[in-house]
């Protein structure tokens, strides 16, 4: 790779910082574990990127592995609120291990979670009139009545999943509904929610100002419902499923139902007006590559460059498995480098989006043996 000396030096510094931190810091061990666990998984089952993923074999050669089943019986109460993640996926993403990559990078960091999908054929129940749950590398539920995946039945797919979770797992502070092609920083989500009341009927996400009276959130990067909002509308569904609208567009319908029962649309932008939930890909926001329709849909002004996105970024849509891994690594490298400076030089600096995106682009340059850093970052 034909890197200019200053960029080579920058990369070298990053590598040295990582190595030193892995050796000397407990936080570094977390990073080391993350890298090696994903690398080991890639070696054994090729989990990281969908381009290289291999389909899962059938039941005869790859049985359900109940032995590694984690215990999520009760919420882990702490100073931070508890978050239950309801992650939308489908059989093709399970076969390609895209869903498994999502689980390993960020899904398992939720206090509890379920992937919502039509199960792979060998896992499907004979009786599909009730919601069923299985564990095959991660927890999945197939909601009542789901016999095929289509955009037209997305709303009912979510409604019956929500009813199941409400009846089985009702004690979480917040319920987060999100696509499996999103990157989510669960720590930033919890930090954002910690001073907000889950007893108030309210939702947070990327805000749209059209279609639903009172506004709604894009389903791609996900939206989080307070326990009060989740409980209110799910109780209404239990009473009568038609109490909530069903156009087949799940993010519109769920948000419309929350507004119907007087739930508020919260604001998630930071103090500088930068988005925490990104409706497009990370680079789409950074480069300002917005489609025309978004200008009329978005509640907040569209920004680009270093001002596009919050330092405490929560979720990003349209991310490949490699993108998900790379962004998580870029954030952790930044945090660990700052921790090292604090530890050895008493130099306190905050995490910034500017440095996150720098790390992200640099890691991509290393990954693809290219040199786009100067072109994209410009300093």
């Amino acid at each position: 790779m034909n890197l200019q000396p200053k960029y080579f030096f920058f990369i070298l510094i990053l590598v040295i910082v990582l190595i030193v931190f892995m050796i000397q810091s407990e936080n570094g061990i977390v990073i080391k574990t993350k890298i090696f666990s994903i690398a080991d998984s890639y070696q054994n089952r090729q989990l990281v990127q969908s381009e290289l993923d291999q389909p899962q074999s059938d039941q005869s050669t790859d049985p359900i592995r109940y032995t590694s089943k984690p215990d999520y019986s009760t919420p882990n109460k702490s100073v931070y609120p508890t978050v239950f993640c309801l992650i939308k996926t489908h059989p093709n993403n399970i076969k390609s291990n895209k869903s498994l990559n999502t689980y390993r990078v960020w899904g398992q960091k939720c206090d509890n979670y379920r992937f919502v999908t039509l199960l792979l054929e060998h896992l499907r129940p004979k009786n599909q009139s009730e919601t069923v749950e299985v564990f095959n590398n991660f927890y999945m539920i197939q909601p009542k009545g789901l016999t095929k995946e289509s955009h037209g039945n997305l709303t009912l797919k979510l409604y019956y999943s929500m009813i199941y979770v409400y009846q089985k797992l009702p004690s979480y502070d917040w319920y987060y509904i999100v696509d499996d092609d999103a990157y989510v920083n669960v720590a930033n989500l919890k930090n954002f929610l910690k001073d907000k009341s889950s007893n108030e009927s309210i939702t947070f996400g990327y805000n749209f100002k059209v279609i639903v009276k009172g506004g709604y959130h894009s389903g791609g990067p996900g939206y989080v419902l307070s326990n009060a909002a989740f409980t209110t509308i799910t109780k209404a569904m239990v009473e009568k499923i038609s109490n909530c609208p069903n156009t087949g567009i799940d993010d519109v319908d769920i948000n419309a139902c929350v507004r119907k029962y007087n739930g508020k649309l919260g604001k998630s932008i930071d103090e500088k007006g930068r988005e925490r939930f990104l409706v497009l890909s990370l680079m789409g926001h950074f480069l300002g590559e917005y489609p025309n329709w978004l200008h009329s849909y978005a509640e907040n002004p569209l920004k680009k460059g270093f001002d596009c996105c919050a330092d405490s970024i929560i979720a990003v849509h349209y991310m490949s498995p490699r993108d998900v891994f790379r962004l998580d690594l870029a954030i952790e490298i930044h945090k660990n480098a700052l921790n090292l400076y604090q530890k050895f030089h008493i130099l306190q600096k905050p995490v910034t989006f500017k440095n996150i995106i720098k790390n992200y682009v640099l890691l991509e340059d290393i990954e693809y043996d290219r040199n786009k850093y100067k072109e994209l970052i410009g300093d």
Side-chain angles (χ1 to χ4, degrees):
M1 178 167 58
N2 184 24
L3 290 173
Q4 294 182 22
K6 65 176 182 179
Y7 300 123
F8 178 81
F9 178 74
F10 184 37
I11 294 170
L12 185 61
I13 291 296
L14 277 178
V15 171
I16 292 171
V17 165
L18 264 179
I19 292 170
V20 172
F21 198 72
M22 286 175 191
I23 295 170
Q24 299 195 21
S25 169
E26 290 182 4
N27 287 336
I29 293 172
V30 173
I31 291 297
K32 185 177 181 181
T33 303
K34 180 184 295 185
I35 293 170
F36 280 117
S37 67
I38 293 179
D40 291 343
S41 302
Y42 176 74
Q43 238 181 2
N44 296 333
R45 297 181 57 84
Q46 293 183 307
L47 303 178
V48 177
Q49 60 269 11
S50 58
E51 300 92 334
L52 300 177
D53 282 339
Q54 298 297 319
Q56 291 183 336
S57 54
D58 62 21
Q59 191 176 17
S60 61
T61 57
D62 191 14
I64 301 175
R65 294 187 282 172
Y66 291 99
T67 53
S68 59
K69 196 174 183 179
D71 179 18
Y72 290 105
S73 53
T74 56
N76 179 24
K77 296 286 185 180
S78 67
V79 293
Y80 290 96
T82 54
V83 176
F84 186 101
C85 296
L86 205 56
I87 307 167
K88 295 177 286 181
T89 189
H90 54 77
N92 288 341
N93 284 0
I94 296 171
K95 289 176 183 177
S96 70
N97 286 318
K98 185 174 184 178
S99 305
L100 186 52
N101 182 75
T102 297
Y103 166 72
R104 292 183 69 87
V105 175
W106 64 262
Q108 62 183 330
K109 297 175 185 176
C110 303
D111 293 286
N112 204 340
Y113 72 93
R114 293 296 184 274
F115 283 81
V116 181
T117 183
L118 179 69
L119 295 171
L120 297 179
E121 193 168 347
H122 69 275
L123 298 174
R124 287 176 202 165
K126 293 180 180 179
N127 178 12
Q128 301 192 34
S129 62
E130 297 298 328
T131 299
V132 295
E133 178 177 332
V134 301
F135 181 85
N136 185 15
N137 297 314
F138 48 83
Y139 283 105
M140 295 174 277
I141 56 177
Q142 177 177 297
K144 171 182 176 179
L146 184 64
T147 58
K148 67 176 183 177
E149 293 280 5
S150 70
H151 287 289
N153 64 13
L154 280 174
T155 294
L156 289 180
K157 175 180 175 178
L158 264 297
Y159 282 179
Y160 285 116
S161 299
M162 291 169 71
I163 289 172
Y164 178 85
V165 171
Y166 166 70
Q167 292 173 337
K168 303 287 185 182
L169 301 154
S171 302
Y172 293 85
D173 298 318
W174 298 87
Y175 290 83
Y176 183 44
I177 301 172
V178 61
D179 285 358
D180 70 344
D181 64 342
Y183 167 74
V184 179
N185 191 294
V186 177
N188 285 348
L189 175 61
K190 287 189 165 205
N191 194 56
F192 170 71
L193 294 171
K194 72 178 181 180
D195 62 348
K196 296 169 178 60
S197 173
S198 61
N199 296 319
E200 179 186 12
S201 186
I202 193 167
T203 59
F204 295 97
Y206 185 92
N207 291 4
F208 286 145
K209 62 185 178 183
V210 298
I211 303 178
V212 176
K213 185 178 180 181
Y216 78 103
H217 307 294
S218 170
Y223 47 95
V224 61
L225 293 79
S226 65
N227 183 285
F230 182 82
T231 300
T232 298
I233 66 169
T234 311
K235 275 185 177 179
M237 294 175 201
V238 171
E239 183 182 326
K240 190 178 180 181
I241 201 73
S242 60
N243 279 336
C244 289
N246 177 17
T247 67
I249 307 172
D250 58 299
D251 50 2
V252 169
D253 292 337
I254 291 171
N255 278 274
C257 194
V258 173
R259 308 298 163 248
K260 175 182 175 181
Y261 291 95
N262 301 314
K264 297 177 182 176
L265 183 89
K267 293 187 179 294
S268 59
I269 53 174
D270 70 5
E271 64 281 357
K272 296 180 180 178
R274 300 176 299 182
E275 298 286 356
R276 288 186 170 94
F277 295 83
L278 306 188
V279 68
L280 303 179
S281 68
L282 184 69
M283 295 309 296
H285 280 264
F286 179 66
L287 298 174
E289 296 174 343
Y290 297 116
N292 291 332
W293 63 265
L294 190 56
H295 290 270
S296 59
Y297 271 58
E299 179 184 80
N300 305 309
L302 302 178
K303 300 183 177 185
K304 66 179 182 178
F306 297 129
D307 293 325
C308 75
C309 313
D311 299 331
S312 54
I313 197 166
I314 290 173
V316 189
H317 193 207
Y318 296 127
M319 300 286 277
S320 73
R322 276 191 177 184
D323 296 336
V324 167
F325 174 75
R326 190 185 312 113
L327 179 53
D328 197 58
L329 186 58
I331 292 171
E332 294 302 328
I333 286 173
H334 185 20
K335 286 181 179 178
N336 289 335
L338 293 177
N339 286 340
L340 270 179
Y341 275 109
Q342 167 63 17
K343 181 176 180 179
F344 292 104
H345 297 288
I346 320 299
L347 180 64
Q348 291 185 332
K349 288 196 170 221
V351 172
T352 64
F353 176 74
K354 183 175 183 178
N355 286 326
I356 290 170
I357 195 69
K358 283 181 175 182
N359 284 347
Y360 181 85
V361 172
L362 233 127
L363 287 168
E364 196 169 25
D365 274 355
I366 295 170
E367 192 175 327
Y368 291 105
D369 193 26
R370 69 181 196 189
N371 185 17
K372 285 196 172 183
Y373 183 90
K374 184 175 181 180
E375 173 192 339
L376 295 173
I377 302 300
D379 64 4

